[in-house]
Amino acid sequence: ETYVLRLFLSVLPSLAFLLLFGRFLRGFVPDRRGWILVMLGLAAGSMFFTYGLLLYGHQQAGLSLFGAFMAFFANRRRARDSAVLLAAGGLLLGLAVSCEYQSVFSATVIGLYGLSVMRRRVIGVLWVAAGAVGPMVLTMIYHKEAFGSVFATGHDFLENATYRGYQKHGYKGMFVYSWKGLFGTLLSPRNGLFFYSPWLAFFAPGLYAMFRRPELRREALCVGFAVLAYVAFICGMFAWKGGWSVGPRYLDAIVPFMAFGVAVFLGSPEGRRGLPRALLAALLVPSVLMYGLSTAWYPHFPEDISNPFFEFILPLIGTGRVPWTLGGFLGLKGIAAMLPFLSVLVMFVSAIVWAGASRPDRRTPPPGRATAAILIVVMSIAGMWALSGPRTDNPATVKAGLDLAKKVWEPKPPPEKTSIPLRPGLRSATGGRRSSGHPR
């Protein structure tokens, strides 16, 4: 059941979103290589990949929120309001809040943006409300059936004592702000947003480039406040870590908005220069490697390990364990079973280096393409080395995380072969008698 739900509620919607997102970006990134950088960054170099495979509400909330933004943006470009686009925007906003309650803040921002681009606001609001009413009514029915009240949620019925303890801080575990929560959510090697996706730092100059264009100023305000609302809320949660998660999973919903900002930057005069594009590609390569390998092997980072990709994922890969994969289905054993996936990963990295070495604006100064490609590879290696620096003080903590992962690993690896010397006359482990006291 979990596999079916993942396939139809995470994987297929995420792939469909990528198709729509790719078409949407065409109007902001005129050159193909810049488009490739953003698309590969979102699809494989961010939490979008991880939670597009797992069953969480974060991914669905993100797809819905940005989908509503695209619907309202499309409506703005029309001469007359489209009832279909406005109702679709309302439906997606309602779905976002139903999938993840905290998306209500960003949904409000996007709803206000939709209101600002309507021609006939009274009728437009009615169409948005008509779209949103379906998922909201279904959510209230679920609350009534499951928790006894349309205003009650699962947070009111926690059985785990640790989770109940979280709610004793602030207001039900929310609005507890600290520098630790801000650093841990955004920069920490444990699962910080910019540690594992440093290329998303180009969102800031992208937002500035968006704001400088008068025709995109409303979109800049909408995207900026939608991202800020999520970050401000999540950083104020007492349980901001999110448990065993690859990246700050609560912020997964804003990744498409940040990728959109990066796309706008690449379409700006500054983003069309050779050096900034090479730097973006150099930051993308570590992101794709870390998210790609982590998601494929074991998409859960232990909370107590300081640098889980280098201290947990890479050693786990070194044990020879592989997940269910196409290579295993074809009969390959051990690490060889991951060759189909690793081949695609190498293709992605190569495409990033190729796209980052381009220089769309020929009037800009060097580096040339070959020099830029070498520079990207060198900076990527240096970046991976720098990111590997932080380490856990207690090796036993790392060992405990690895032991737990090995214990629950699927598929089960074959039992290790051991040679146990037996004296003549003793029964072997299979019940037979050994004719010699020497092991084979």
Side-chain angles (χ1 to χ4, degrees):
E1 292 85 356
T2 301
Y3 174 78
V4 172
L5 290 172
R6 284 178 176 174
L7 180 63
F8 287 99
L9 297 183
S10 291
V11 177
L12 295 180
S14 297
L15 292 173
F17 175 85
L18 285 175
L19 294 175
L20 295 173
F21 185 75
R23 294 189 64 177
F24 179 72
L25 290 189
R26 291 291 188 185
F28 301 93
V29 189
D31 66 290
R32 181 178 57 173
R33 292 179 177 88
W35 182 86
I36 288 174
L37 287 176
V38 178
M39 290 299 294
L40 289 181
L42 176 64
S46 72
M47 289 181 287
F48 188 94
F49 181 33
T50 307
Y51 297 103
L53 294 176
L54 300 178
L55 188 62
Y56 285 84
H58 319 311
Q59 186 80 352
Q60 289 75 17
L63 304 183
S64 301
L65 287 173
F66 200 86
F69 172 74
M70 288 193 293
F72 292 143
F73 180 82
N75 183 72
R76 182 185 183 186
R77 301 183 67 177
R78 293 173 59 92
R80 299 176 59 185
D81 286 337
S82 168
V84 173
L85 288 173
L86 293 177
L91 172 66
L92 291 169
L93 290 180
L95 282 174
V97 179
S98 297
C99 292
E100 190 166 63
Y101 300 134
Q102 60 260 32
S103 67
V104 66
F105 303 108
S106 294
T108 301
V109 173
I110 298 169
L112 291 174
Y113 164 73
L115 179 65
S116 72
V117 300
M118 295 175 189
R119 277 77 176 177
R120 303 172 65 185
R121 292 183 177 174
V122 174
I123 296 178
V125 168
L126 291 177
W127 279 116
V128 172
V133 69
M136 300 309 296
V137 168
L138 289 174
T139 302
M140 289 189 290
I141 292 174
Y142 166 71
H143 286 175
K144 175 65 176 177
E145 294 296 323
F147 310 120
S149 170
V150 296
F151 300 108
T153 70
H155 297 282
D156 300 316
F157 301 93
L158 296 176
E159 294 189 9
N160 187 292
T162 302
Y163 296 157
R164 289 200 303 270
Y166 293 163
Q167 295 197 353
K168 296 179 180 178
H169 301 268
Y171 175 73
K172 294 188 175 182
M174 299 178 291
F175 310 112
V176 186
Y177 292 98
S178 66
W179 287 111
K180 183 178 180 181
L182 182 65
F183 173 79
T185 302
L186 299 180
L187 300 173
S188 170
R190 294 181 188 268
N191 64 350
L193 177 68
F194 295 111
F195 185 90
Y196 287 97
S197 289
W199 67 279
L200 289 177
F202 278 88
F203 168 70
L207 192 64
Y208 176 69
M210 201 184 310
F211 193 78
R212 284 195 310 173
R213 296 171 58 177
E215 73 277 13
L216 291 180
R217 198 153 289 169
R218 292 184 188 181
E219 285 71 22
L221 292 172
C222 176
V223 169
F225 280 107
V227 170
L228 180 62
Y230 243 101
V231 172
F233 180 80
I234 299 304
C235 290
M237 289 178 59
F238 183 78
W240 51 265
K241 286 183 180 179
W244 282 44
S245 64
V246 175
R249 61 184 178 90
Y250 292 128
L251 293 183
D252 177 49
I254 64 172
V255 171
F257 291 92
M258 301 186 76
F260 171 57
V262 176
V264 176
F265 170 75
L266 289 178
S268 68
E270 295 80 9
R272 294 174 64 82
R273 295 174 181 171
L275 193 58
R277 185 163 294 208
L279 178 58
L280 174 63
L283 295 176
L284 260 173
V285 171
S287 303
V288 169
L289 291 175
M290 289 190 292
Y291 271 110
L293 294 174
S294 301
T295 302
W297 254 272
Y298 195 79
H300 312 282
F301 284 168
E303 286 187 278
D304 300 326
I305 297 179
S306 297
N307 199 340
F309 175 76
F310 293 96
E311 293 186 280
F312 177 75
I313 295 297
L314 292 184
L316 196 58
I317 294 174
T319 65
R321 288 172 169 79
V322 295
W324 297 106
T325 183
L326 176 63
F329 176 77
L330 297 176
L332 300 176
K333 304 295 183 183
I335 298 296
M338 297 298 291
L339 284 178
F341 168 77
L342 293 175
S343 299
V344 174
L345 194 66
V346 170
M347 289 172 55
F348 280 9
V349 171
S350 302
I352 290 170
V353 175
W354 169 76
S358 66
R359 191 156 45 97
D361 190 349
R362 301 299 177 184
R363 295 170 297 178
T364 60
R369 183 170 297 179
T371 304
I374 295 173
L375 182 65
I376 290 170
V377 172
V378 172
M379 288 193 297
S380 300
I381 295 174
M384 289 294 287
W385 177 79
L387 294 173
S388 68
R391 295 285 164 163
T392 303
D393 295 332
N394 188 1
T397 302
V398 178
K399 184 179 182 302
L402 289 170
D403 289 344
L404 179 57
K406 294 174 185 178
K407 182 179 179 181
V408 300
W409 192 269
E410 290 288 345
K412 296 295 182 184
E416 297 180 0
K417 297 179 180 180
T418 57
S419 297
I420 304 176
L422 299 175
R423 294 195 304 274
L426 289 182
R427 292 184 180 273
S428 69
T430 59
R433 289 184 178 274
R434 302 295 295 268
S435 60
S436 171
H438 301 286
R440 295 185 183 183

